[in-house]
Amino acid sequence: MGENNTIWIEKYRPATLNDVVGQREIVERLKNYVGAQSLPHLLFTGTAGIGKTTSAVALAREFFGENWQVNFRELNASDERGIDVVRNQIKQFARTAPIGNATFKILFLDEADALTNDAQSALRRTMENYAHTCRFILSCNYSSKIIDPIQSRCAIYRFKPLDREAITEELKRIAKNEGLTISEAAMDAIIYVAQGDMRKAINALQGAAIINADISEDMIYEITSTAKPDEILELLHIILKGNFEAAENTLNELTVKRGIAPNELINQFYRTLVNDTTLDRRLKVELISHLGEADFRISEGADQNIQMEALMARCVLSAVNHGSTK
Amino acid sequence: MQDWVEKYRPKSLADIIGNKDCLRRMIEWARDWKPGVPPLLLYGKPGVGKTSSAYALANDMNWEVVELNASDQRTKGIIERVAGATATTMSLLGSQRKLLLLDEADNLHGTADMGGARAIIGVIKSSQQPIILIANDKYGVAKEIKALCELLQFRALQARSIVPHLKYLCSAENKTCNDNALMQIAESAGGDMRAAVNMLFAAGSGADTVSEESVSTAAKDQRSSIFELVGGILRGGADRRLMEMSYDLSDTPDTVEQWVEGALPQIKNPRDRTEAYGYLAQSDLYLGRTYLRQYYTLWKYATALMVIGTAAAAGGQGVTGNIMPPARWNRMAGAKKKKLVRQSVLIKAAFAYHMPENTLRDEYLKAFGMIADKDPLSFAKELSLDGDELDYIIDDKVRSAEVMKEIKREEKEQEKKEKAAQKAAEKARKSEKTVRIQDLAKATKTEKPEQPEKPDLNEPAESSVSIGSAASKSADEPENSEKVGKSAEKKPSETQSTLFSF
């Protein structure tokens, strides 16, 4: 544990595989490699903040002990993409002998799915040619973007988004250490905001802790610029009643006064709709489609306010047409 | 300690699993190899034993291996320096041969490998050493290279032939194993031995037993069943459950989309069916936007529309037919080939007519098609097209085949002429005092680097001498050197006969 880090996501980054939460099966496998002192190439897939990098670093520490930093190298493929990275940088690291008692080095290539196909092709033989001095751990969001020949060369580990228990466990540990109290509602809020992403969760906690050691629900929503799920539900009900003025007012309240980004609002609205069990399916799909359209237009550079207002108008019309306003 | 893929990489062809016909052919090829015998091009999916076979063969034959692959900068100069030196010179150890291994022969595209294909052609034509090329995709290999090689296809391995090998590895590593676990590995490997061994290694390292439980986390990539999802859509499962299933799939939304597409005809009511296709089409729009803009946030709308929307349209009617892999995949395999053919046509034409590929495709290709239609033979020769490429342009398989026949016939005629010239040259040479051809070739190479473009019928003695050096420079003039290379086969001075046998 890095004691001197001011940023908690570093300070509380697990140093050993045992401390990695929520990926028990994967951690057990990885520990076996350490026990056997052998390692194939690995491919870690999964969304952000669920332990891919942490596991790779912890694995390197356990393999190399003291010397881990010289025998471990982290490259981010989306920073330094392209075939020349593979041909030069990676080879440079891979070809030289490991230091200390280690029999190989570990190269961690984050966001490997950002590598072009050409670069991936070059990587695949490098992986084999230098296997005696270097093992590769590739990390990516979507394994489908990694070319088959590389998948074939790796043991693949699919990291799952962290569940409620995993995040709760970790946050409680941090809270204890930092002298914080987290209310039940505040914990729910963090879990809602984080969506299975530990990095987001810890960051939200640290942000709130600056305000007060007593962490409340409101602080979490405030610090992350997120609307409360109840507020989104309220907006949905207003729309279903067909009241455009009220919908527009609520929208302004959330975006202008509270500073919630339209993108974030759309995303939250989407989550609410998908999890809803009461709405007519066709109406639900229609509303989701409106959200997607607005999201797309905003991403293309359209004016956020106009698109959001138009979104409200469209949603209200759909509600009226489906007779939900009666 | 090594990982098992390297540790148990087969040393001898006898240890290789599957593809016995290919292995037999490789042995024959190696045993009978002499300069001029065409190189082998091994192609097939990853992990089916192409590279391993090549190394095992070299080991069996006691050949040294010199390997080049895409991770080396494959510019023309480098290939010629490394491979050229290997290919044209004899090994210092006398009769021992060197096997030149060109891996990833289908990865020569792009500016980084500029001129690489041409250099390989040059090396193949001038090589005094055996060459094996390896590729995943036959269609990714330049046609000019393919024409010079003997093609051997390596097929995906059956799960039942993978299992015994896994068993062997377990016993070699002193691990007990569960048969079901091994079968599970073999099946999820999808015919890829390397993936299977990797999975076994992942499941077995650090433990004494390979159990079913340990396999499930180590599997190539777990997939929850797409059948469940598509069935759920038709049966009208709860939205949330359906969405969860779709998150859980390892398939990307565009794959799921095609499965859903395949299931929609099961909705028989025309109104419902139209509605379902409407949602799918909308979903597809979001997929397109996602990829076009690289804005992955939009993926979720695509998923929601194709899952919840189509479920709404199906109205819980239930499954009335088989849920099958998309029929389009078969068509897509064809489309992939077509795309590659188009690409190679574009590259050739863009080069020949000095214009960007995009401009060519958008504005000129159609006109070229009509022009080519008038005189396909000249057009095909001008761009040195193969049958598929010509067919792509004039859209007429039969005629394209005829044109190719005609080109072959002309080539043969040309070859005959060359041979006649060669014979005449030999006669003339024999009548002269005996000077070793190779020495002479060397001498002439240094004395007069400029060689005549074609062996000339009127100067028999000259042309026979030029063979050796022309062949080694052939990279720059593939058209011409092919003929020269072929005639070189007949040279009586190749004394390095193969003495190996199995």
Side-chain angles (χ1 to χ4, degrees):
Chain A
M1 214 173 283
E3 296 297 340
N4 299 323
N5 279 305
T6 49
I7 299 294
W8 290 359
I9 49 179
E10 265 329 299
K11 184 173 179 182
Y12 292 102
R13 191 186 286 283
T16 67
L17 287 170
N18 270 335
D19 294 337
V20 175
V21 296
Q23 310 287 359
R24 194 188 57 79
E25 287 169 330
I26 291 176
V27 165
E28 287 306 311
R29 296 273 111 242
L30 297 181
K31 273 157 65 184
N32 285 342
Y33 291 134
V34 179
Q37 277 299 302
S38 67
L39 188 72
H41 301 307
L42 308 178
L43 176 61
F44 291 172
T45 77
T47 51
I50 56 176
K52 300 187 299 293
T53 306
T54 300
S55 300
V57 173
L59 186 68
R61 280 178 188 240
E62 295 192 14
F63 256 106
F64 304 133
E66 295 270 281
N67 292 325
W68 78 274
Q69 267 163 322
V70 284
N71 289 323
F72 179 79
R73 174 97 183 265
E74 188 180 339
L75 278 180
N76 190 309
S78 66
D79 299 339
E80 326 178 31
R81 57 167 80 194
I83 199 161
D84 284 334
V85 177
V86 175
R87 280 177 171 158
N88 305 323
Q89 287 219 49
I90 295 180
K91 266 191 172 179
Q92 203 68 41
F93 175 79
R95 78 209 303 175
T96 53
I99 291 165
N101 296 328
T103 49
F104 53 79
K105 298 172 158 186
I106 294 177
L107 190 139
F108 179 66
L109 190 58
D110 204 359
E111 301 192 40
D113 44 358
L115 286 176
T116 62
N117 275 8
D118 274 351
Q120 290 191 32
S121 303
L123 180 61
R124 67 184 234 198
R125 283 296 291 166
T126 309
M127 289 171 67
E128 270 192 353
N129 287 344
Y130 297 102
H132 56 289
T133 51
C134 186
R135 297 301 136 78
F136 289 76
I137 302 178
L138 310 183
S139 145
C140 64
N141 292 150
Y142 310 106
S143 64
S144 58
K145 286 203 271 173
I146 302 291
I147 60 173
D148 264 1
I150 287 187
Q151 294 207 31
S152 162
R153 282 162 174 78
C154 296
I156 301 181
Y157 290 91
R158 229 181 143 202
F159 285 64
K160 295 198 174 67
L162 298 172
D163 57 16
R164 169 177 283 270
E165 286 71 42
I167 293 184
T168 310
E169 181 194 330
E170 183 71 5
L171 292 188
K172 281 190 172 153
R173 187 171 75 86
I174 296 175
K176 199 175 160 203
N177 208 41
E178 299 286 341
L180 309 173
T181 54
I182 309 177
S183 72
E184 191 81 3
M187 191 63 91
D188 284 347
I190 296 177
I191 284 159
Y192 173 82
V193 167
Q195 296 184 71
D197 179 339
M198 185 71 87
R199 195 161 49 194
K200 260 192 197 163
I202 296 177
N203 207 41
L205 183 67
Q206 186 175 15
I210 294 167
I211 307 174
N212 196 321
D214 243 339
I215 311 293
S216 74
E217 184 188 5
D218 288 353
M219 288 157 63
I220 297 296
Y221 288 121
E222 163 135 27
I223 205 79
T224 54
S225 299
T226 312
K228 292 181 191 172
D230 285 350
E231 291 171 317
I232 301 291
L233 261 183
E234 175 63 25
L235 178 60
L236 178 60
H237 286 310
I238 293 171
I239 287 170
L240 291 180
K241 277 192 206 125
N243 188 342
F244 175 74
E245 281 82 26
E248 208 195 356
N249 283 339
T250 312
L251 177 71
N252 280 334
E253 177 78 20
L254 293 172
T255 53
V256 180
K257 286 208 181 130
R258 297 267 300 282
I260 299 167
N263 282 346
E264 178 56 36
L265 216 52
I266 290 176
N267 181 37
Q268 285 189 265
F269 206 167
Y270 170 85
R271 285 171 72 189
T272 304
L273 284 175
V274 166
N275 290 327
D276 173 274
T277 50
T278 57
L279 233 54
D280 171 65
R281 258 192 172 144
R282 287 185 167 79
L283 175 56
K284 186 193 283 190
V285 175
E286 214 171 299
L287 295 181
I288 289 176
S289 174
H290 294 331
L291 290 174
E293 188 62 33
D295 197 340
F296 171 68
R297 291 180 181 188
I298 291 172
S299 78
E300 292 281 286
D303 182 89
Q304 295 182 342
N305 294 328
I306 292 176
Q307 294 303 328
M308 288 306 281
E309 279 175 344
L311 170 64
M312 291 301 123
R314 245 182 259 125
C315 288
V316 167
L317 177 63
S318 293
V320 172
N321 286 344
H322 275 80
S324 73
T325 51
K326 275 171 256 165
Chain B
M1 188 170 142
Q2 283 174 299
D3 73 81
W4 294 356
V5 172
E6 285 306 319
K7 188 171 174 186
Y8 293 102
R9 197 182 270 287
K11 301 274 183 301
S12 162
L13 279 181
D15 301 332
I16 304 236
I17 315 288
N19 288 303
K20 291 297 175 205
D21 287 346
C22 291
L23 304 184
R24 212 166 296 133
R25 179 62 201 127
M26 286 172 75
I27 295 170
E28 286 168 12
W29 173 83
R31 204 173 36 205
D32 302 340
W33 191 88
K34 58 183 184 347
V37 169
L40 293 181
L41 169 59
L42 315 181
Y43 68 96
K45 291 215 162 94
V48 294
K50 302 179 297 294
T51 308
S52 291
S53 302
Y55 272 96
L57 177 71
N59 196 36
D60 287 344
M61 299 296 291
N62 206 15
W63 289 352
E64 249 177 84
V65 178
V66 177
E67 187 185 333
L68 269 184
N69 64 69
S71 62
D72 301 297
Q73 214 127 23
R74 274 216 256 215
T75 51
K76 189 164 169 268
I78 291 184
I79 290 191
E80 279 175 357
R81 206 172 62 235
V82 179
T86 310
T88 52
T89 57
M90 290 285 293
S91 172
L92 284 174
L93 300 166
S95 69
Q96 197 200 0
R97 293 196 189 286
K98 285 183 186 169
L99 174 66
L100 178 59
L101 198 59
L102 296 172
D103 207 346
E104 293 160 52
D106 48 351
N107 266 316
L108 286 165
H109 300 302
T111 46
D113 290 322
M114 202 64 107
R118 206 183 260 206
I120 286 185
I121 291 168
V123 169
I124 291 175
K125 286 179 175 169
S126 62
S127 176
Q128 298 296 306
Q129 297 290 352
I131 299 176
I132 291 181
L133 296 91
I134 294 177
N136 287 128
D137 186 351
K138 180 170 74 160
Y139 297 110
V141 181
K143 165 216 152 199
E144 292 81 357
I145 294 181
K146 268 188 288 191
L148 295 172
C149 297
E150 177 180 344
L151 275 60
L152 286 181
Q153 182 183 10
F154 276 64
R155 291 174 195 283
L157 305 172
Q158 302 278 344
R160 62 185 146 76
S161 53
I162 291 180
V163 170
H165 186 60
L166 298 181
K167 255 189 195 154
Y168 159 74
L169 295 187
C170 284
S171 67
E173 290 286 329
N174 280 323
K175 298 199 188 295
T176 52
C177 57
N178 172 309
D179 280 2
N180 285 337
L182 296 190
M183 195 59 205
Q184 208 179 320
I185 291 179
E187 276 175 357
S188 56
D192 179 340
M193 177 64 89
R194 179 172 39 218
V197 174
N198 265 333
M199 279 184 242
L200 184 71
F201 181 51
S205 65
D208 294 333
T209 54
V210 176
S211 63
E212 275 179 273
E213 195 200 19
S214 62
V215 166
S216 63
T217 41
K220 192 174 180 185
D221 210 349
Q222 295 173 53
R223 44 171 29 200
S224 45
S225 162
I226 190 133
F227 295 95
E228 276 176 54
L229 175 65
V230 175
I233 288 172
L234 291 172
R235 285 188 206 96
D239 295 345
R240 211 168 144 181
R241 178 78 196 105
L242 292 178
M243 290 302 284
E244 273 163 8
M245 277 196 249
S246 75
Y247 300 146
D248 218 35
L249 290 173
S250 61
D251 305 87
T252 46
D254 42 330
T255 308
V256 179
E257 181 193 28
Q258 288 170 31
W259 281 82
V260 174
E261 179 198 352
L264 291 191
Q266 290 192 27
I267 303 175
K268 295 297 177 216
N269 178 321
R271 187 190 294 265
D272 295 344
R273 191 169 53 214
T274 308
E275 195 190 354
Y277 274 113
Y279 287 128
L280 191 68
Q282 238 182 334
S283 162
D284 184 60
L285 181 63
Y286 282 106
L287 283 183
R289 289 170 167 176
T290 305
Y291 288 121
L292 192 63
R293 296 289 179 225
Q294 296 286 300
Y295 182 55
Y296 287 92
T297 309
L298 296 178
W299 253 9
K300 59 174 183 268
Y301 304 113
T303 306
L305 287 167
M306 84 170 80
V307 171
I308 304 177
T310 50
Q317 64 148 36
V319 180
T320 56
N322 290 331
I323 296 169
M324 284 186 302
R328 195 175 346 146
W329 287 353
N330 287 329
R331 278 179 271 152
M332 274 187 351
K336 191 183 171 200
K337 183 192 164 187
K338 202 167 176 186
K339 212 169 145 193
L340 284 160
V341 169
R342 184 181 72 185
Q343 194 54 31
S344 65
V345 171
L346 285 175
I347 290 172
K348 285 178 181 174
F351 182 76
Y353 304 131
H354 307 283
M355 61 171 93
E357 283 168 32
N358 286 345
T359 315
L360 187 84
R361 185 190 57 219
D362 297 341
E363 296 171 34
Y364 292 86
L365 207 53
K366 198 172 171 200
F368 285 169
M370 286 151 71
I371 298 165
D373 203 55
K374 292 263 179 267
D375 185 3
L377 180 62
S378 311
F379 190 76
K381 282 204 287 195
E382 195 173 312
L383 292 182
S384 62
L385 301 176
D386 68 12
D388 287 340
E389 291 164 346
L390 185 62
D391 174 42
Y392 179 80
I393 293 199
I394 63 171
D395 196 21
D396 187 339
K397 265 217 168 76
V398 181
R399 263 176 87 205
S400 301
E402 280 167 7
V403 168
M404 286 305 122
K405 250 188 209 162
E406 174 61 20
I407 291 179
K408 271 232 170 92
R409 202 187 53 76
E410 283 182 12
E411 273 175 4
K412 265 196 187 142
E413 217 148 82
Q414 185 68 19
E415 211 173 293
K416 257 186 208 162
K417 272 189 204 163
E418 310 265 337
K419 264 186 197 160
Q422 162 96 19
K423 266 192 186 151
E426 242 161 64
K427 252 185 202 166
R429 185 180 48 76
K430 270 181 189 160
S431 68
E432 276 179 31
K433 283 292 163 195
T434 56
V435 183
R436 280 215 174 143
I437 263 203
Q438 275 182 333
D439 293 349
L440 193 55
K442 262 183 209 159
T444 44
K445 196 173 174 182
T446 46
E447 279 166 27
K448 26 156 93 187
E450 298 299 321
Q451 292 298 333
E453 283 270 313
K454 283 186 182 170
D456 193 330
L457 277 167
N458 298 327
E459 299 176 32
E462 268 299 340
S463 67
S464 84
V465 164
S466 75
I467 288 168
S469 52
S472 61
K473 296 195 307 169
S474 58
D476 297 322
E477 21 182 43
E479 286 297 316
N480 186 28
S481 56
E482 182 166 14
K483 292 146 200 162
V484 178
K486 272 180 190 151
S487 58
E489 267 175 51
K490 304 282 184 246
K491 273 199 292 178
S493 67
E494 319 301 341
T495 51
Q496 331 153 346
S497 61
T498 345
L499 299 172
F500 307 101
S501 59
F502 277 84

